[in-house]
Amino acid sequence: MSEELVQANHEILLVEDNPADVRLVTEVLSDPSINITVAEDGEEALTVLKGDSGNKPLWPDLILLDLNMPKMDGLEVLAEIKKDPQLRVIPVVVMTTSEREQDIVKSYDLQASGYIRKPMDLIEFMDLIKAVRDYWLKFTTSPMGYLREGSKLEE
């Protein structure tokens, strides 16, 4: 199969406070067809998504969301995203080191699209990021590309 991504331009919001993880994810996902916006905490993520800072709202094809963050944790961010009618269709994949059963169950209860535990091994982590990229950007179709082009969802 070709290495080319199906859609021409992809938007990803990476919500992560660990600079090493941000660097690794952005390096692995480095591709001219992928634009990655990084938010270092939950409050910043919601500001980016809603355009509250005077900027245009970001409607990414995928949100990669860490759980353990300052100011507002990932579960709080997920709850806010999924209660917003314009944002709730965005796939949100929780990517965390947490193995706590309550975090897993709560994430899916809040309609996370997936829950992935970050491996401690660097090569495994890189392979995981590539698999996430392939699944969400090559093999699935995001509604956000259509919405960014002006289509409206019927309520």
mmCIF file of all heavy atoms in Angstrom, residues 98-119:
data_model
loop_
_atom_site.group_PDB
_atom_site.id
_atom_site.type_symbol
_atom_site.label_atom_id
_atom_site.label_comp_id
_atom_site.label_asym_id
_atom_site.label_seq_id
_atom_site.Cartn_x
_atom_site.Cartn_y
_atom_site.Cartn_z
ATOM 1 N N SER A 98 -1.390 6.133 32.112
ATOM 2 C CA SER A 98 -2.276 5.608 33.149
ATOM 3 C C SER A 98 -2.829 4.230 32.788
ATOM 4 O O SER A 98 -3.354 4.024 31.692
ATOM 5 C CB SER A 98 -3.455 6.556 33.385
ATOM 6 O OG SER A 98 -4.375 5.980 34.300
ATOM 7 N N GLU A 99 -2.711 3.317 33.727
ATOM 8 C CA GLU A 99 -3.303 1.990 33.587
ATOM 9 C C GLU A 99 -4.484 1.817 34.534
ATOM 10 O O GLU A 99 -5.008 0.714 34.691
ATOM 11 C CB GLU A 99 -2.248 0.921 33.869
ATOM 12 C CG GLU A 99 -1.105 0.936 32.884
ATOM 13 C CD GLU A 99 -0.073 -0.149 33.156
ATOM 14 O OE1 GLU A 99 -0.384 -1.127 33.864
ATOM 15 O OE2 GLU A 99 1.046 -0.016 32.653
ATOM 16 N N ARG A 100 -4.907 2.918 35.150
ATOM 17 C CA ARG A 100 -5.988 2.850 36.135
ATOM 18 C C ARG A 100 -7.301 2.472 35.457
ATOM 19 O O ARG A 100 -7.699 3.091 34.464
ATOM 20 C CB ARG A 100 -6.155 4.193 36.839
ATOM 21 C CG ARG A 100 -4.983 4.579 37.696
ATOM 22 C CD ARG A 100 -5.085 5.975 38.255
ATOM 23 N NE ARG A 100 -6.448 6.485 38.235
ATOM 24 C CZ ARG A 100 -6.934 7.331 39.130
ATOM 25 N NH1 ARG A 100 -6.194 7.782 40.092
ATOM 26 N NH2 ARG A 100 -8.180 7.744 39.036
ATOM 27 N N GLU A 101 -7.949 1.474 36.012
ATOM 28 C CA GLU A 101 -9.215 0.999 35.455
ATOM 29 C C GLU A 101 -10.238 2.127 35.364
ATOM 30 O O GLU A 101 -10.946 2.249 34.363
ATOM 31 C CB GLU A 101 -9.760 -0.142 36.325
ATOM 32 C CG GLU A 101 -11.070 -0.692 35.852
ATOM 33 C CD GLU A 101 -11.603 -1.787 36.768
ATOM 34 O OE1 GLU A 101 -10.827 -2.369 37.532
ATOM 35 O OE2 GLU A 101 -12.822 -2.040 36.701
ATOM 36 N N GLN A 102 -10.303 2.972 36.389
ATOM 37 C CA GLN A 102 -11.294 4.053 36.376
ATOM 38 C C GLN A 102 -11.013 5.068 35.272
ATOM 39 O O GLN A 102 -11.942 5.649 34.716
ATOM 40 C CB GLN A 102 -11.437 4.729 37.741
ATOM 41 C CG GLN A 102 -10.166 5.270 38.330
ATOM 42 C CD GLN A 102 -9.476 4.301 39.268
ATOM 43 O OE1 GLN A 102 -9.240 3.147 38.937
ATOM 44 N NE2 GLN A 102 -9.119 4.776 40.451
ATOM 45 N N ASP A 103 -9.745 5.294 34.912
ATOM 46 C CA ASP A 103 -9.429 6.200 33.805
ATOM 47 C C ASP A 103 -9.881 5.612 32.470
ATOM 48 O O ASP A 103 -10.421 6.323 31.615
ATOM 49 C CB ASP A 103 -7.921 6.489 33.744
ATOM 50 C CG ASP A 103 -7.452 7.409 34.852
ATOM 51 O OD1 ASP A 103 -8.293 8.094 35.475
ATOM 52 O OD2 ASP A 103 -6.229 7.450 35.104
ATOM 53 N N ILE A 104 -9.671 4.319 32.303
ATOM 54 C CA ILE A 104 -10.063 3.644 31.062
ATOM 55 C C ILE A 104 -11.581 3.681 30.899
ATOM 56 O O ILE A 104 -12.109 4.106 29.868
ATOM 57 C CB ILE A 104 -9.544 2.192 31.045
ATOM 58 C CG1 ILE A 104 -8.008 2.185 31.075
ATOM 59 C CG2 ILE A 104 -10.082 1.435 29.827
ATOM 60 C CD1 ILE A 104 -7.402 0.830 31.396
ATOM 61 N N VAL A 105 -12.291 3.265 31.944
ATOM 62 C CA VAL A 105 -13.751 3.212 31.887
ATOM 63 C C VAL A 105 -14.335 4.613 31.716
ATOM 64 O O VAL A 105 -15.226 4.833 30.890
ATOM 65 C CB VAL A 105 -14.319 2.510 33.142
ATOM 66 C CG1 VAL A 105 -15.834 2.639 33.206
ATOM 67 C CG2 VAL A 105 -13.890 1.050 33.176
ATOM 68 N N LYS A 106 -13.818 5.580 32.459
ATOM 69 C CA LYS A 106 -14.335 6.943 32.370
ATOM 70 C C LYS A 106 -14.086 7.543 30.986
ATOM 71 O O LYS A 106 -14.940 8.228 30.432
ATOM 72 C CB LYS A 106 -13.699 7.831 33.450
ATOM 73 C CG LYS A 106 -14.255 9.232 33.512
ATOM 74 C CD LYS A 106 -15.692 9.251 33.965
ATOM 75 C CE LYS A 106 -16.164 10.674 34.166
ATOM 76 N NZ LYS A 106 -17.579 10.743 34.478
ATOM 77 N N SER A 107 -12.924 7.256 30.394
ATOM 78 C CA SER A 107 -12.621 7.767 29.053
ATOM 79 C C SER A 107 -13.639 7.271 28.035
ATOM 80 O O SER A 107 -14.164 8.047 27.237
ATOM 81 C CB SER A 107 -11.214 7.350 28.622
ATOM 82 O OG SER A 107 -10.244 7.984 29.421
ATOM 83 N N TYR A 108 -13.917 5.978 28.079
ATOM 84 C CA TYR A 108 -14.899 5.437 27.136
ATOM 85 C C TYR A 108 -16.312 5.907 27.469
ATOM 86 O O TYR A 108 -17.120 6.141 26.567
ATOM 87 C CB TYR A 108 -14.811 3.915 27.072
ATOM 88 C CG TYR A 108 -13.646 3.443 26.247
ATOM 89 C CD1 TYR A 108 -12.573 2.780 26.834
ATOM 90 C CD2 TYR A 108 -13.595 3.665 24.870
ATOM 91 C CE1 TYR A 108 -11.486 2.350 26.074
ATOM 92 C CE2 TYR A 108 -12.517 3.243 24.105
ATOM 93 C CZ TYR A 108 -11.474 2.586 24.714
ATOM 94 O OH TYR A 108 -10.406 2.178 23.959
ATOM 95 N N ASP A 109 -16.603 6.077 28.747
ATOM 96 C CA ASP A 109 -17.910 6.602 29.150
ATOM 97 C C ASP A 109 -18.110 8.015 28.589
ATOM 98 O O ASP A 109 -19.225 8.391 28.218
ATOM 99 C CB ASP A 109 -18.030 6.611 30.677
ATOM 100 C CG ASP A 109 -19.395 7.051 31.147
ATOM 101 O OD1 ASP A 109 -20.407 6.499 30.667
ATOM 102 O OD2 ASP A 109 -19.462 7.972 31.994
ATOM 103 N N LEU A 110 -17.023 8.763 28.504
ATOM 104 C CA LEU A 110 -17.079 10.119 27.943
ATOM 105 C C LEU A 110 -16.927 10.126 26.418
ATOM 106 O O LEU A 110 -16.719 11.165 25.819
ATOM 107 C CB LEU A 110 -15.995 10.996 28.579
ATOM 108 C CG LEU A 110 -16.199 11.334 30.050
ATOM 109 C CD1 LEU A 110 -14.960 11.991 30.639
ATOM 110 C CD2 LEU A 110 -17.425 12.229 30.225
ATOM 111 N N GLN A 111 -17.011 8.946 25.802
ATOM 112 C CA GLN A 111 -17.015 8.774 24.347
ATOM 113 C C GLN A 111 -15.660 8.980 23.688
ATOM 114 O O GLN A 111 -15.576 9.465 22.553
ATOM 115 C CB GLN A 111 -18.075 9.657 23.695
ATOM 116 C CG GLN A 111 -19.463 9.378 24.211
ATOM 117 C CD GLN A 111 -20.495 10.344 23.673
ATOM 118 O OE1 GLN A 111 -20.191 11.268 22.934
ATOM 119 N NE2 GLN A 111 -21.734 10.121 24.051
ATOM 120 N N ALA A 112 -14.585 8.593 24.386
ATOM 121 C CA ALA A 112 -13.277 8.584 23.724
ATOM 122 C C ALA A 112 -13.338 7.587 22.577
ATOM 123 O O ALA A 112 -14.009 6.558 22.664
ATOM 124 C CB ALA A 112 -12.183 8.179 24.713
ATOM 125 N N SER A 113 -12.632 7.875 21.507
ATOM 126 C CA SER A 113 -12.587 6.976 20.362
ATOM 127 C C SER A 113 -11.611 5.837 20.580
ATOM 128 O O SER A 113 -11.658 4.832 19.882
ATOM 129 C CB SER A 113 -12.176 7.755 19.109
ATOM 130 O OG SER A 113 -13.091 8.791 18.870
ATOM 131 N N GLY A 114 -10.720 6.006 21.540
ATOM 132 C CA GLY A 114 -9.758 4.967 21.867
ATOM 133 C C GLY A 114 -8.978 5.346 23.104
ATOM 134 O O GLY A 114 -8.935 6.523 23.500
ATOM 135 N N TYR A 115 -8.388 4.351 23.719
ATOM 136 C CA TYR A 115 -7.568 4.555 24.918
ATOM 137 C C TYR A 115 -6.286 3.765 24.712
ATOM 138 O O TYR A 115 -6.316 2.542 24.596
ATOM 139 C CB TYR A 115 -8.300 4.052 26.166
ATOM 140 C CG TYR A 115 -7.626 4.404 27.469
ATOM 141 C CD1 TYR A 115 -8.085 5.480 28.217
ATOM 142 C CD2 TYR A 115 -6.539 3.682 27.958
ATOM 143 C CE1 TYR A 115 -7.491 5.827 29.428
ATOM 144 C CE2 TYR A 115 -5.939 4.021 29.154
ATOM 145 C CZ TYR A 115 -6.412 5.087 29.881
ATOM 146 O OH TYR A 115 -5.819 5.430 31.085
ATOM 147 N N ILE A 116 -5.179 4.478 24.614
ATOM 148 C CA ILE A 116 -3.896 3.847 24.324
ATOM 149 C C ILE A 116 -2.921 4.168 25.442
ATOM 150 O O ILE A 116 -2.753 5.339 25.809
ATOM 151 C CB ILE A 116 -3.327 4.360 22.982
ATOM 152 C CG1 ILE A 116 -4.275 4.012 21.840
ATOM 153 C CG2 ILE A 116 -1.937 3.799 22.741
ATOM 154 C CD1 ILE A 116 -3.884 4.636 20.518
ATOM 155 N N ARG A 117 -2.298 3.127 25.971
ATOM 156 C CA ARG A 117 -1.249 3.341 26.979
ATOM 157 C C ARG A 117 0.085 3.531 26.262
ATOM 158 O O ARG A 117 0.457 2.734 25.407
ATOM 159 C CB ARG A 117 -1.170 2.169 27.943
ATOM 160 C CG ARG A 117 -2.318 2.245 28.956
ATOM 161 C CD ARG A 117 -2.284 1.094 29.857
ATOM 162 N NE ARG A 117 -3.074 0.076 29.148
ATOM 163 C CZ ARG A 117 -3.372 -1.098 29.626
ATOM 164 N NH1 ARG A 117 -2.935 -1.467 30.780
ATOM 165 N NH2 ARG A 117 -4.099 -1.937 28.938
ATOM 166 N N LYS A 118 0.773 4.607 26.636
ATOM 167 C CA LYS A 118 2.075 4.897 26.037
ATOM 168 C C LYS A 118 3.087 3.861 26.517
ATOM 169 O O LYS A 118 3.277 3.700 27.718
ATOM 170 C CB LYS A 118 2.574 6.275 26.462
ATOM 171 C CG LYS A 118 1.751 7.436 26.014
ATOM 172 C CD LYS A 118 2.369 8.711 26.576
ATOM 173 C CE LYS A 118 1.454 9.881 26.481
ATOM 174 N NZ LYS A 118 1.994 11.066 27.166
ATOM 175 N N PRO A 119 3.752 3.195 25.603
ATOM 176 C CA PRO A 119 4.794 2.258 26.023
ATOM 177 C C PRO A 119 6.027 3.023 26.519
ATOM 178 O O PRO A 119 6.277 4.147 26.079
ATOM 179 C CB PRO A 119 5.116 1.471 24.758
ATOM 180 C CG PRO A 119 4.487 2.190 23.632
ATOM 181 C CD PRO A 119 3.522 3.182 24.176
#
